[in-house]
Amino acid sequence: MSSKGAAFDAKADAKRGLRVGVVGAGVMGSNHARVLAGLPGVTLVGIVDPLPEHRARATALAGCRAFAELDELFDEGVDAITIAAPTHLHHEIALACITRNIHLLVEKPVASTVEEGQDIVNAARSAGVTLMVGHVERFNPAVAAIKQAISGEDILSIGITRVGPFPPRMSNVGVVIDLAVHDIDLIRWFTESDIVEVQPQLSSAVAEREDIALLQFRTASGVLAHINTNWLTPFKARSVTVATRGKYVMGDLLTRQVTECFGFKPDGSYSMRHLPVGHDEPLRAELIAFLDAVRTGDVPAVSGDEGVASLEIAIRCLEQPAKPAASAARKGPRRIAG
């Protein structure tokens, strides 16, 4: 499809509204459906999932139709689809959608491998369809406030903590793909630079895959960054600190409080202020950004290339096998004394 033809189609979509579907009716996909059902200019056509209990939950939450097979959704006619199915299915589903010229938002990680991710990117580019990757943390208002605060600054270092309890759901990935890939994307976005050096330390304490990861990075622009992530902390914590030559910014991504230290004096004194932070639901902001890109034909907020780049760094972190923790005799999540 030519760029002129794509622009014409985008204008036509904007006039008649967009017919959108969701693939995957787990927790994330059900939330996609809930948000899409409430957006103006959008018709939620339905949600696809092979499990009856998932379909029932999504229907109750979003008030939409539910289908067992992807072809049933295709038969209804859709302009765009969000894919929130298990990662190993992303490649097959995405290519099936792209073949039908359907615009896509694919949840992170974009695919199971870099090769599959690149296949999706190349196919979308050839077909002229919009492809966005669902790195929803970029749309957290606290993250947006941090990004604005460090704009134009000479960034020196970034520290990110993303920890919590062992997830109740069964998963075929460890903390690097499940959690740290969010922050790999944020490091690349904050610095607007590629990650060129990776130094991972991984360990398996209670899970078959890594459940502790201490990751160090250097970007092409010289920024040092680290990520601390695990499934061993009894409570969730999400924090970001950024040091620049002119300021120090601290953000709590859960409470959405962002503080800026600046005006450093030789005597060690400095000024501090709390920055304004919005109240938007990150998923809603993300889906609006995706649909805006579909309507306008503009480059989406998180491109397929960016999604593949973050996946590639995450996989590089995993090239070092996870080692058993010192107290590897534990067979399940640790108990909290009290």
Side-chain angles (χ1 to χ4, degrees), residues 72-236:
E72 294 179 80
L73 179 62
F74 289 153
D75 290 344
E76 295 296 320
V78 286
D79 303 302
I81 281 177
T82 70
I83 299 176
T87 303
H88 70 276
L89 299 176
H90 286 187
H91 182 254
E92 177 185 356
I93 296 169
L95 294 185
C97 294
I98 291 168
T99 299
R100 293 164 174 80
N101 291 316
I102 296 170
H103 305 287
L104 285 179
L105 182 145
V106 182
E107 270 297 341
K108 69 82 190 169
V110 62
S112 295
T113 68
V114 172
E115 292 75 19
E116 287 187 352
Q118 197 60 57
D119 278 349
I120 295 171
V121 171
N122 292 341
R125 184 174 291 124
S126 296
V129 305
T130 297
L131 169 64
M132 179 166 156
V133 181
H135 281 283
V136 70
E137 199 70 278
R138 286 204 200 181
F139 298 88
N140 185 319
V143 170
I146 294 169
K147 173 71 170 175
Q148 184 175 3
I150 64 176
S151 177
E153 293 284 323
D154 184 6
I155 301 172
L156 302 176
S157 70
I158 298 172
I160 303 179
T161 296
R162 186 179 297 271
V163 297
F166 194 86
R169 59 185 169 77
M170 295 299 292
S171 177
N172 61 353
V173 298
V175 292
V176 171
I177 296 297
D178 189 55
L179 298 180
V181 72
H182 281 294
D183 304 312
I184 291 169
D185 176 70
L186 291 185
I187 290 167
R188 298 184 68 257
W189 189 51
F190 284 152
T191 62
E192 300 179 1
S193 180
D194 289 329
I195 292 172
V196 295
E197 293 182 26
V198 175
Q199 295 180 339
Q201 293 291 331
L202 310 175
S203 183
S204 298
V206 300
E208 292 184 7
R209 297 180 183 267
E210 83 288 347
D211 50 23
I212 307 171
L214 301 174
L215 312 174
Q216 296 184 346
F217 309 96
R218 183 189 297 271
T219 70
S221 58
V223 176
L224 299 181
H226 72 265
I227 297 171
N228 169 28
T229 187
N230 68 56
W231 280 332
L232 304 179
T233 307
F235 54 85
K236 280 189 176 183

Side-chain angles (χ1 to χ4, degrees), residues 20-33 36 44-51 54-55 58 64-74 78 80-87 89-97 102-107 287:
V20 184
V22 178
V23 179
V27 173
M28 196 64 182
S30 295
N31 279 317
H32 277 230
L36 289 166
L44 177 59
V45 178
I47 189 165
V48 178
D49 197 287
L51 299 178
H54 283 189
R55 296 199 299 273
C64 65
R65 298 176 65 189
F67 308 102
E69 300 290 341
L70 183 58
D71 283 342
E72 294 179 80
L73 179 62
F74 289 153
V78 286
I81 281 177
T82 70
I83 299 176
T87 303
L89 299 176
H90 286 187
H91 182 254
E92 177 185 356
I93 296 169
L95 294 185
C97 294
I102 296 170
H103 305 287
L104 285 179
L105 182 145
V106 182
E107 270 297 341
L287 291 172

